Amino acid sequence: MLDGNLQIAGNRIVQLARKFSTAFIFGFAAAAVAQSAAPSVATPAQQMAATVLQQWPVATHDQWAYEEGTLLDGIAAEWHATANGDDFAYIKAAVDKYVSADGTIATYKASGHTLDDVEMGRADLLLYRVTQQDKYAKAARFLHDQLALQPRNASGGYWHKQIYPNQMWLDGAYMAEPFRAEYAATFQQPADFDDIAKQLLLMDANMRDAKTGLLRHGWDESKSMPWADKTTGLSPEVWARAMGWYEMALVDVLDWFPQDHPQRPALIAALNRTMAAVVKAQDPKSGLWWQVMSHPGESGNYFEASASCMFTYALAKGVRMGYLPASDEAVAHRAWDGIQKHFVTTNPDGTITLHGTVKVGGLGGTPYRSGDFNYYIHEPVVDQDAKGVGSFLLAGSEMDQVLDISAAPKKTGLPSSKDYRATPESSTHRVTVLVDAWFNSQTRKNAFGQTELYHYKWNDDSNNGFSFFGRAFRRYGATLATLPAAPTAAALAHAQIYIIASPDIPSKNPDPHYIDKASGDAIEAWVRAGGVLLLFSNDRDNTEFTHFDTLADRFGMHFNPVLSHHVIEPDHSTGEVVISPGTGIFGSGFTAYMKDTSTITVSGAAKALVTDHGDVMIAVSHLGKGTVLGVVDPWFYNEYADGRKMGQYRGFEAAQDVAAWAVKQAR
């Protein structure tokens, strides 16, 4: 195992420059450099991920715990941001050390009823969503059922642990609620969202320091603990990492929270309220945050690495997702710069070390922890702590995606940040990308027998899904949505980009919905008014052509029902497609991979962008104020974009190219 991980790490370091030479690291600014390759420089987060794989082989992990879970969260964020398949392999190997074929979790101590031990369930759920293997679903259900047994205080808030009666700690927000939200979304448990919001909002309502607006580390509703204020039940101080856990919990829970849930606005308001206090508490000189935030600059206090990373992550992600104001991005930049200068060193072997993470922080227990200033500043501070490194990776994954707002108008002609950013989640200036779930409405049974949509859908992390393509759009500040009905003028009115991928045939869906004249008329009118339409076909045996072409023909594209670029494993050469520079969409030339495709015949306003051996593979057309892109294959589904397979063909980078181009057209 050690040798294998070292080999993976070595491969990763070698691949970084190659893999990211054309990657869009800087959001909208990258759209401006689409005609030339970006510098071959690994970012700090990429360096740290390579360091983890080298220094911490999976064989060294020995306990299912939140420290390792946080580290895996960081590695997962890096996988999502870079599509380096080695990251996923590391996560899978780590979780497989504990989760058996029947879903049993080795080393898990159920009797402790500790929220900390739920956190690593996020990595387990990720593996289920990607692989669809039952064992991960069973392990996740076990953790979900454990939470049903978790003791609660009189207000309904989770005790942090069995040994801490009536106490809510901010740490618990991150340990439990993102897992619960993902589980609820994955396994159709909508009622869980009510209680998830309740847990987070109880903290917001009861743990806030009236003077600073920051939240105290702990709240004992019974007011019986020696550290608890006899009036409020609050612990004495504001501990930075506890605040960091809470902020990260909010931005991660919102990934899964239903858009129409009545408490979603309250969660976003809590995030804004709390982050405003965090921004105010940032040290203006270093860009960092103090270990004890309620005593900035006091003798003995110090800047703490993990919390600074957590705040950076929450700020950058909150801005990218539209939850926080654009001005918070500058705060994240200052913090990230401060983290590099104050906490990071590069080692002779090319690995990097994160210094300055406090090892632990708690309340009560044995030996007793008073939660006062003197306690927090005397806990050990360590290097390369798993919690700190995981938080560093989370922050870095966001900073590698951050929008270069100041450069965007100059380089791309896009609106300024104040024009395309609004909060909370206002769609006034944010591009909405709508994916079809009507013409392609295939379903499958999940591990527990529930019916779910899949195949080219944003929320599908398996091989067939579009989740990595969706993240490419998210990278550029877009909002994702799904249309589970036939398109109408009203349904399309709020979208700027609409994607139809591989319409169903009876062998794929016994009740297919075919494109009809009414749908075609609505889509054509929407394109004429400025919509950006992406049409992805497939080969003759896997998609519908006759009705689909009644739509495509309107734009001068006719998809031909053939089997082109047929691949017979293991020879992939017949699926290779050379994309030359100068398309206006992709960066420098590269070899793409499109397996088993149709072809396109262009006419009228349509123009071929990519051809291969005389076959038109990608075409573009303009009608009125709108734009249509046609591709002979869905292409960007996860199997060929997530780096676990065929990564050498740069499907991930191509997905980002198309997303950047489409968003720019929509602007």
Side-chain angles (χ1 to χ4, degrees), residues 158-207:
Y158 284 143
W159 294 8
H160 188 65
K161 295 182 182 182
Q162 181 78 40
I163 61 173
Y164 300 134
N166 301 301
Q167 300 167 43
M168 296 190 80
W169 293 11
L170 290 179
D171 318 38
Y174 188 78
M175 303 304 150
E177 306 315 326
F179 166 80
R180 294 182 73 199
E182 182 175 354
Y183 185 95
T186 302
F187 295 118
Q188 304 175 27
Q189 304 292 318
D192 284 3
F193 288 109
D194 296 341
D195 193 62
I196 292 165
K198 179 178 182 176
Q199 300 300 318
L200 294 168
L201 295 175
L202 273 173
M203 293 178 174
D204 178 67
N206 292 284
M207 300 176 75

Side-chain angles (χ1 to χ4, degrees), residues 624-641:
K625 298 179 180 180
T627 306
V628 182
L629 184 74
V631 184
V632 297
D633 187 70
W635 194 12
F636 303 127
Y637 46 91
N638 297 330
E639 185 175 9
Y640 298 114

Side-chain angles (χ1 to χ4, degrees), residues 333-626:
H333 273 296
R334 287 196 299 272
W336 191 235
D337 289 344
I339 289 165
Q340 308 313 308
K341 293 173 183 177
H342 198 85
F343 296 124
V344 178
T345 58
T346 301
N347 306 312
D349 63 356
T351 61
I352 62 175
T353 297
L354 179 71
H355 309 279
T357 298
V358 64
K359 187 172 179 61
V360 70
L363 297 165
T366 304
Y368 181 74
R369 297 168 293 183
S370 64
D372 61 13
F373 177 76
N374 187 61
Y375 158 71
Y376 285 115
I377 66 170
H378 285 99
E379 282 287 11
V381 177
V382 297
D383 294 342
Q384 213 67 344
D385 176 87
K387 302 179 294 296
V389 169
S391 302
F392 181 90
L393 290 167
L394 286 163
S397 71
E398 284 298 327
M399 296 309 296
D400 286 353
Q401 300 177 74
V402 76
L403 299 173
D404 190 353
I405 291 176
S406 62
K410 178 180 178 182
K411 292 186 177 182
T412 68
L414 296 173
S416 67
S417 60
K418 68 179 180 179
D419 292 329
Y420 72 84
R421 288 291 180 188
T423 187
E425 286 191 304
S426 169
S427 60
T428 304
H429 302 293
R430 291 175 65 86
V431 167
T432 294
V433 187
L434 192 64
V435 71
D436 162 66
W438 180 251
F439 304 118
N440 185 305
S441 57
Q442 295 178 46
T443 61
R444 66 185 175 197
K445 297 290 186 180
N446 67 20
F448 302 143
Q450 299 164 319
T451 300
E452 61 185 18
L453 280 168
Y454 84 111
H455 222 207
Y456 316 129
K457 302 299 181 286
W458 300 135
N459 64 348
D460 184 1
D461 287 310
S462 70
N463 280 347
N464 296 298
F466 263 172
S467 63
F468 266 76
F469 193 28
R471 291 185 188 98
F473 282 106
R474 282 293 203 186
R475 196 176 190 112
Y476 304 114
T479 297
L480 305 180
T482 300
L483 182 58
T488 63
L492 296 173
H494 301 292
Q496 290 74 48
I497 301 171
Y498 180 38
I499 301 171
I500 302 175
S502 190
D504 292 334
I505 53 178
S507 63
K508 301 294 182 180
N509 182 349
D511 185 25
H513 303 122
Y514 296 129
I515 292 175
D516 57 13
K517 185 177 184 301
S519 296
D521 289 345
I523 294 170
E524 180 181 346
W526 174 81
V527 170
R528 287 183 180 276
V532 179
L533 177 65
L534 307 185
L535 298 176
F536 297 156
S537 187
N538 211 322
D539 68 87
R540 68 187 181 198
D541 299 323
N542 286 290
T543 193
E544 197 277 332
F545 285 91
T546 302
H547 299 86
F548 190 42
D549 274 332
T550 65
L551 173 64
D553 287 344
R554 295 173 184 242
F555 311 110
M557 301 178 194
H558 188 86
F559 290 94
N560 303 307
V562 299
L563 177 60
S564 184
H565 294 75
H566 181 50
V567 171
I568 300 176
E569 299 287 351
D571 179 15
H572 299 121
S573 61
T574 54
E576 293 180 348
V577 177
V578 175
I579 296 182
S580 302
T583 60
I585 296 179
F586 305 98
S588 59
F590 65 99
T591 300
Y593 183 75
M594 298 185 190
K595 172 185 176 181
D596 295 0
T597 74
S598 60
T599 62
I600 299 174
T601 299
V602 297
S603 63
K607 295 181 180 180
L609 286 185
V610 176
T611 61
D612 186 69
H613 296 91
D615 291 331
V616 178
M617 308 297 287
I618 303 177
V620 68
S621 181
H622 297 278
L623 183 66
K625 298 179 180 180

